Amino acid sequence: MKPASRAVHSGREIKARTPLAPAITPAAVHVYADLDDYEAVASGERPGYFYGRNSNENRSMLEAAIAELEGAEAAVSSASGMAALHMAILALAPRPTTIVATRELYGGTLSLLRQDLEPSGYEPVFVDVLDLDAVSAALNGAGLVLLETITNPLCRVPDVEAIVGIAKERGVPVLVDNTFATPILCRPIELGADVVMHSATKYIGGHSDLLAGIVAGDAKTIAAARARSVRMGGTLGAFDAWLALRGLRTLEVRIRRHSENSLALAKALRDMPGVAAVHHPLLEGSPSYEVARRLLPDGAGGMLAFDLAGGRAAVQRMMKRFRMVSFAASLGGVETTISYPEITSHRGLSPAERAELGVGSGTVRVSTGIEAVEDIVADFEQALAG
Ligand SMILES: Cc1ncc(COP(=O)(O)O)c(C=O)c1O
């Protein structure tokens, strides 16, 4: 099946006389009438559910669907993308080691590495992942590589295929945050990555109404991640799992529109007053253009960024003039929203660190929605008009 059909059908079997829309099972616990039966289910010998922290029908459906879409053997969900990321790192690197990560990293991930993992002995090393020589040098003696398929906020695309090749030669596992690309546009496991994680809060859910995370990979790694997740307790609630699966069913059509709209908006923004630079991987001249065309042949999703020459004052002025677009510190919803990395995703970095990444006081990140592209472009045009 093609990804569009898998998004609709994966994780379930449609049978006669069963509901087409799955039921929500919020039960914390299931009742048993036989000790042997309970033991068989609790030990995994027999399929079934017994306690909500261990497993739940809605979570199982979501996990099976994402595993299928990512081309992975298994998946495990969690209460948020950050919980998924933590779970994935501990599954691949359970003991302190060097983690080579993209320097243009989601701010929450950077904080997790610096404030939680570094004090427990891990050593994060940040590299420019567009520079394969730098990646290669950093990988000596490393225990994990952490990449984002499309980086946040400047939307660069590392050559995951080439980096996986270098990492494999050294026996270093590769973890990819595939939140921005989704399995519709890129399936890193097919490119050789070991594990993929998502903030399902974003495109998979797609409607800004849930928090969820998911990790997909080989059965052994996911079983270890699941066991730890049961012990630590950051499990996903049934309703959010149900909503995430509901969102997933329309992921392909949404992503197609997000991708078309973001590229059209990126092109239009280049000619708007006050715009100093536009960052979109499929814009000619982007440092990621060639890699993005190869790794993201069906589009680059809804994210883009641009720099306003007038800095924070110009961003503030544009925001106040928007009629349809809103400011919201998240992404991946059906509405077009902007965020301002200096005080949102990248607020934990010093001004010098932000400057090194190319994130300045005029940098705006856009999560392009699925509205009519004419309306999106027109709103930016009138908001930026002199
Ligand atoms: C790329 C990326 N990864 C991970 C996360 C964390 O996800 P969550 O907010 O669901 O914990 C985010 C959130 O913005 C993100 O953008």
Side-chain angles (χ1 to χ4, degrees):
M1 264 198 236
K2 302 251 189 237
S5 320
R6 277 204 214 138
V8 173
H9 290 284
S10 58
R12 66 170 164 179
E13 205 185 321
I14 298 177
K15 287 190 272 189
R17 287 169 178 259
T18 59
L20 188 56
I24 303 176
T25 310
V29 68
H30 283 58
V31 173
Y32 281 77
D34 183 291
L35 293 179
D36 294 336
D37 188 33
Y38 179 86
E39 213 168 8
V41 171
S43 67
E45 230 174 78
R46 206 173 282 164
Y49 299 92
F50 57 106
Y51 187 59
R53 180 156 44 75
N54 296 70
S55 58
N56 163 280
E57 220 159 337
N58 298 105
R59 285 209 301 272
S60 298
M61 284 180 85
L62 174 68
E63 290 163 354
I66 298 285
E68 211 178 301
L69 264 172
E70 285 286 2
E73 287 174 4
V76 55
S77 57
S78 57
S80 68
M82 289 314 298
L85 181 74
H86 191 202
M87 188 163 53
I89 292 174
L90 292 186
L92 290 171
R95 281 177 202 82
T97 184
T98 299
I99 302 179
V100 176
T102 167
R103 57 176 198 159
E104 251 191 58
L105 209 53
Y106 165 59
T109 306
L110 184 68
S111 300
L112 178 77
L113 292 173
R114 280 190 176 161
Q115 291 172 37
D116 299 287
L117 295 177
E118 204 168 351
S120 23
Y122 288 82
E123 195 195 341
V125 172
F126 301 101
V127 291
D128 175 359
V129 284
L130 298 196
D131 180 348
L132 292 180
D133 292 334
V135 174
S136 182
L139 278 182
N140 289 324
L144 180 66
V145 187
L146 171 53
L147 303 173
E148 291 176 355
T149 338
I150 302 171
T151 65
N152 185 354
L154 298 184
C155 300
R156 306 248 156 89
V157 179
D159 190 339
V160 176
E161 210 170 8
I163 295 172
V164 163
I166 301 169
K168 289 263 155 311
E169 279 169 17
R170 320 270 171 92
V172 183
V174 180
L175 166 60
V176 180
D177 181 337
N178 201 26
T179 300
F180 278 22
T182 83
I184 300 299
L185 299 175
C186 184
R187 290 173 292 284
I189 287 174
E190 291 176 0
L191 301 175
D194 296 272
V195 167
V196 162
M197 62 74 46
H198 286 272
S199 166
T201 312
K202 316 299 179 192
Y203 288 105
I204 289 175
H207 296 75
S208 308
D209 54 7
L210 66 95
L211 275 162
I214 196 140
V215 181
D218 66 277
K220 193 165 165 238
T221 306
I222 297 304
R226 185 184 295 285
R228 183 173 276 114
S229 161
V230 170
R231 291 193 296 274
M232 292 190 158
T235 40
L236 177 62
F239 184 52
D240 277 359
W242 185 91
L243 275 177
L245 187 67
R246 187 187 204 274
L248 182 75
R249 299 305 183 207
T250 57
L251 181 63
E252 199 269 349
V253 277
R254 283 186 286 111
I255 282 291
R256 204 150 15 116
R257 179 72 83 94
H258 284 299
S259 299
E260 284 165 15
N261 284 359
S262 79
L263 187 55
L265 177 62
K267 286 179 178 165
L269 275 166
R270 284 191 300 199
D271 299 325
M272 289 190 203
V275 175
V278 182
H279 312 279
H280 186 290
L282 290 174
L283 266 191
E284 269 174 71
S286 155
S288 298
Y289 185 69
E290 296 303 332
V291 175
R293 278 176 57 99
R294 176 159 48 84
L295 296 187
L296 304 168
D298 297 326
M303 302 306 296
L304 69 99
F306 63 97
D307 299 316
L308 284 181
R312 187 179 175 126
V315 177
Q316 181 87 304
R317 176 182 178 272
M318 174 186 73
M319 263 176 66
K320 290 196 182 300
R321 292 171 63 135
F322 276 140
R323 294 182 187 141
M324 184 182 81
V325 175
S326 34
F327 171 85
S330 188
L331 61 107
V334 291
E335 309 85 355
T336 299
T337 57
I338 60 151
S339 91
Y340 184 57
E342 188 171 286
I343 62 162
T344 58
S345 54
H346 290 65
R347 67 177 301 140
L349 275 69
S350 68
E353 286 171 323
R354 281 195 297 267
E356 206 191 323
L357 295 183
V359 175
S361 64
T363 304
V364 176
R365 191 187 74 182
V366 184
S367 171
T368 320
I370 62 168
E371 304 97 332
V373 70
E374 297 84 350
D375 292 328
I376 301 172
V377 170
D379 205 19
F380 277 90
E381 252 161 12
Q382 67 80 25
L384 288 169

